[in-house]
Amino acid sequence: QLVESGGGLVQAGGSLRLSCTTSRDIFSLKTMGWYRQVPGKQRELVARISSSGITNYADSVKDRFTISRENAENTVYLQMNSLKPEDTAVYFCFRLRWVSALGTFDYDYRGQGTQVTVSS
């Protein structure tokens, strides 16, 4: 129900743009986001954006990543610049269900994930 694209292999310092498209029923008036997962590590909420465009970022990606949404296209984007090897992960698009002040979160819809690999 959420279809991601845009992952791949890039050198450190490079850029990638992830896209996530879904249906209006899932997208409209909801907070959408991206999280990433590295095997053996806890998932990290990278960025989220409310239906009105308010954004939040993990400290690890601030000033490098930009989340945006195109409501008319039911699409959310993640522009990733100045990529680092530590950004290597599977990135998942999701619709936010809840988020805590500690950064824990849950979703009710999620994409299949797209691999981002940053070489040094």
Side-chain angles (χ1 to χ4, degrees), residues 5 13-14 16 29 38 50 57 61 74 85 91 93 108 111:
S5 61
L16 284 173
L29 301 178
V38 176
S50 72
Y57 297 93
V61 305
N74 303 317
Y91 284 71
C93 170
D108 47 15

Side-chain angles (χ1 to χ4, degrees), residues 33-82:
W34 294 88
Y35 77 87
R36 61 190 180 187
Q37 180 80 62
V38 176
K41 293 188 176 181
Q42 190 171 7
R43 68 189 185 189
E44 180 184 22
L45 200 168
V46 174
R48 68 184 194 266
I49 183 167
S50 72
S51 59
S52 61
I54 297 172
T55 59
N56 293 86
Y57 297 93
D59 287 342
S60 59
V61 305
K62 275 181 184 176
D63 300 322
R64 298 190 299 122
F65 291 11
T66 302
I67 189 170
S68 61
R69 63 191 291 160
E70 177 54 64
N71 291 333
E73 299 293 330
N74 303 317
T75 299
V76 61
Y77 302 98
L78 186 67
Q79 178 67 43
M80 305 185 293
N81 298 330
S82 302

Side-chain angles (χ1 to χ4, degrees), residues 2-49:
L2 281 76
V3 180
E4 298 130 335
S5 61
L9 173 64
V10 65
Q11 288 188 332
S15 298
L16 284 173
R17 189 193 197 202
L18 306 183
S19 300
C20 172
T21 300
T22 185
S23 68
R24 185 173 182 274
D25 287 346
I26 290 175
F27 189 86
S28 182
L29 301 178
K30 299 294 185 180
T31 295
M32 304 295 293
W34 294 88
Y35 77 87
R36 61 190 180 187
Q37 180 80 62
V38 176
K41 293 188 176 181
Q42 190 171 7
R43 68 189 185 189
E44 180 184 22
L45 200 168
V46 174
R48 68 184 194 266
I49 183 167

